[in-house]
């Protein structure tokens, strides 16, 4: 992966970063990182803002613009938007709800089959992260004091989900049905709501108050 691609993936996963953070992550000089970031800003892919600190110059943070986010694949894009519009036009909201429900059922069946040999929550979650990563969600799992945080740094169905919010509801439903008997799960961050990632708090019932 080229340096520019690695920088974009770092910002996509972590949100706004400084030149020093990029330099440390990629093992390049701070000057080199700053030059790459400036080049990406010139292309309209990044934007920066300065944060005041107690001592010294403000710290410059870089984040993705809409054009920057568009560098990452949306597997469904305009064709899916057209399909959603067509289904709604021909069959109304009920028809669109049936299509969403069918997709949800298919996804759930696929995930359950993949998790069939997993005997504990941790193994299930690591397998689920691999599945989501393969589907383009840039997924990762963090262990927390109260359970787990499932993070998705990219949404390959973002445009479709903005047009049809039921898709986001469906995603959460799949996770709840897949893991429900063992834990409490809720979405704590949401790309559609303007945050840079989607995140799900997963708390085993043994730890849930």
């Amino acid at each position: 992966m080229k340096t520019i691609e690695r920088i974009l993936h770092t910002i996509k996963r972590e949100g706004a970063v400084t030149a020093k953070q990029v330099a440390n992550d990629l093992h390049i000089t701070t000057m080199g990182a700053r030059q790459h970031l400036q080049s990406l800003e010139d292309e309209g892919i990044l934007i920066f803002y300065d944060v005041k600190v107690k001592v010294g110059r403000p710290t410059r943070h870089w984040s993705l613009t809409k054009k920057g986010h568009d560098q990452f694949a949306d597997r469904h894009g305009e064709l899916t938007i057209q399909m959603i519009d067509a289904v709604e036009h021909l069959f109304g909201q009920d028809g669109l709800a049936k299509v969403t429900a069918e997709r949800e059922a298919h996804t759930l069946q696929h995930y359950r089959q993949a998790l069939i040999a997993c005997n504990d929550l941790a193994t299930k979650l690591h397998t689920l992260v691999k599945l989501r990563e393969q589907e383009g969600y840039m997924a990762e799992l963090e262990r927390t004091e109260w359970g787990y945080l499932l993070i998705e740094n990219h949404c390959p169905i973002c445009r479709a989900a903005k047009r049809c919010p039921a898709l986001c509801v469906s995603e959460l439903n799949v996770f709840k049905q897949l893991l429900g008997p063992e834990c409490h799960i809720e979405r704590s961050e949401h790309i559609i709501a303007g945050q840079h990632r989607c995140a799900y708090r997963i708390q085993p019932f043994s730890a849930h108050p």
Side-chain angles (χ1 to χ4, degrees), residues 7-117:
I7 290 173
L8 291 178
H9 275 77
T10 295
I11 298 175
K12 184 67 172 175
R13 284 186 179 276
E14 300 180 11
V17 297
T18 65
K20 184 176 180 180
Q21 286 175 289
V22 170
N24 290 338
D25 287 345
L26 303 185
H27 305 292
I28 60 177
T29 65
T30 302
M31 179 63 72
R34 192 174 290 112
Q35 289 174 346
H36 285 303
L37 292 167
Q38 183 64 57
S39 174
L40 289 167
E41 187 218 343
D42 292 342
E43 294 179 38
I45 292 175
L46 296 182
I47 192 172
F48 69 82
Y49 59 92
D50 292 330
V51 178
K52 292 183 179 180
V53 293
K54 291 183 179 179
V55 180
R57 299 172 58 185
T59 302
R60 181 154 293 183
H61 291 70
W62 305 81
S63 59
L64 295 171
T65 62
K66 182 181 182 301
K67 182 178 178 181
H69 284 289
D70 289 344
Q71 304 300 306
F72 296 85
D74 184 334
R75 294 183 178 178
H76 299 261
E78 191 60 35
L79 177 60
T80 299
I81 301 298
Q82 293 172 1
M83 292 294 292
I84 290 172
D85 288 343
V87 169
E88 187 173 46
H89 177 73
L90 292 172
F91 306 108
Q93 283 291 328
D94 287 344
L96 190 57
K98 289 179 180 179
V99 170
T100 303
E102 176 62 24
R103 176 185 179 273
E104 179 179 318
H106 176 78
T107 301
L108 180 60
Q109 181 181 13
H110 171 58
Y111 286 0
R112 278 178 170 162
Q113 185 63 36
L115 269 62
I116 197 167

Side-chain angles (χ1 to χ4, degrees), residues 120-181:
D120 57 73
L121 179 59
T123 306
K124 289 180 179 179
L125 289 173
H126 283 291
T127 302
L128 179 59
V129 165
K130 289 181 182 178
L131 291 169
R132 301 293 281 182
E133 183 75 10
Q134 290 168 3
E135 294 172 5
Y137 286 86
M138 295 180 69
E140 54 188 282
L141 187 68
E142 289 184 4
R143 190 73 169 90
T144 69
E145 60 182 11
W146 37 259
Y148 298 90
L149 189 68
L150 171 60
I151 298 166
E152 295 180 343
N153 296 289
H154 178 60
C155 177
I157 63 166
C158 188
R159 293 181 65 188
K162 286 180 179 178
R163 170 62 180 82
C164 181
L167 290 171
C168 288
V169 176
S170 178
E171 300 261 278
L172 182 57
N173 286 343
V174 167
F175 292 160
K176 286 182 175 179
Q177 292 179 74
L178 198 64
L179 307 171

